[in-house]
Amino acid sequence: TTDPTEMVAGATEVWDPMPDSLAFTNTYTIAPNATCAPLQSVVSRKQHGAITPPFDIPLPLAGTPGLESRGTGAANNTYTLVYTLGGNVVTPGTATVTQGTASSATTASGPAANQVTVTLTGVPTAQHMTINLTNVGVTGGGTLNNLGVNMDVLVGDANQSGRTDNGDAIVVRNLSGQAPTSQNFRADVNASGRIDNGDAIVIRNNSGVALPP
């Protein structure tokens, strides 16, 4: 209590020194840091020909995984994941594919000071993947572990239906001859920098393939 008149015989005094309300005279900004919010976002990034900047597919940290539909075939696809952290990176740590398949997973610091780039090679289509980043050193001497993200891979699924089929071929046909933009880059399936017959061929070669349950 804060009211002395409420004290009764035999009671132990426990005083609350805090007022019922607090008023701050200054403005404060709460910002994430490497300890409280170590992982801010992850994207799958691809360069489409000579077009800059590259196009990113967001990979949500929770809920439905992001779908990577770009690639060149049923196997041996390469993907670049960019992890954005709450602090600047000193050492990029180690990446491990804990679900799904890839021939290799390598790490490098950058491109920004608070980012780690993970390069996946030898990635087959039609799979659910989990990529875990560990032992990342950040400014101040901290080490970040278990920075996992999920990504689905289905090459040619331009309309994100979960199946590569004629619907994707129609998307490419309707956009044929165009350069990829932030609105239509998924139709540039082979990331050549142009939506054309090359993308239609990739879709045709993977037609009928679907994500597993």
Side-chain angles (χ1 to χ4, degrees):
T1 181
T2 58
D3 186 354
T5 63
E6 294 180 359
M7 297 301 298
V8 297
T12 301
E13 296 182 9
V14 179
W15 296 92
D16 178 7
M18 298 295 293
D20 292 335
S21 63
L22 297 174
F24 296 96
T25 57
N26 297 313
T27 300
Y28 299 89
T29 300
I30 299 176
N33 58 51
T35 301
C36 298
L39 183 56
Q40 303 298 299
S41 65
V42 185
V43 299
S44 178
R45 176 169 294 172
K46 264 192 181 295
Q47 183 74 46
H48 287 242
I51 296 174
T52 56
F55 296 110
D56 293 345
I57 293 177
L59 303 180
L61 303 183
T64 303
L67 173 66
E68 180 53 89
S69 55
R70 299 168 292 184
T72 55
N76 297 321
N77 298 289
T78 299
Y79 299 106
T80 300
L81 276 54
V82 180
Y83 286 64
T84 299
L85 309 179
N88 288 348
V89 175
V90 177
T91 54
T94 302
T96 306
V97 177
T98 57
Q99 180 184 10
T101 303
S103 296
S104 67
T106 58
T107 62
S109 300
N114 65 330
Q115 292 178 328
V116 173
T117 295
V118 176
T119 301
L120 304 174
T121 63
V123 179
T125 189
Q127 63 169 322
H128 305 293
M129 301 187 73
T130 300
I131 303 92
N132 196 36
L133 189 60
T134 60
N135 202 33
V136 180
V138 293
T139 301
T143 301
L144 305 180
N145 290 295
N146 300 317
L147 306 177
V149 68
N150 297 323
M151 179 176 75
D152 289 344
V153 178
L154 185 59
V155 173
D157 188 15
N159 63 5
Q160 304 174 70
S161 67
R163 181 181 177 88
T164 302
D165 54 21
N166 190 56
D168 307 298
I170 291 172
V171 170
V172 169
R173 184 182 66 198
N174 291 342
L175 295 169
S176 184
Q178 297 184 27
T181 68
S182 60
Q183 302 301 313
N184 67 13
F185 69 85
R186 282 186 182 272
D188 184 19
V189 178
N190 62 6
S192 67
R194 184 178 177 85
I195 302 169
D196 55 19
N197 189 55
D199 306 301
I201 291 173
V202 173
I203 291 172
R204 184 182 66 201
N205 290 343
N206 289 275
S207 184
V209 178
L211 280 172

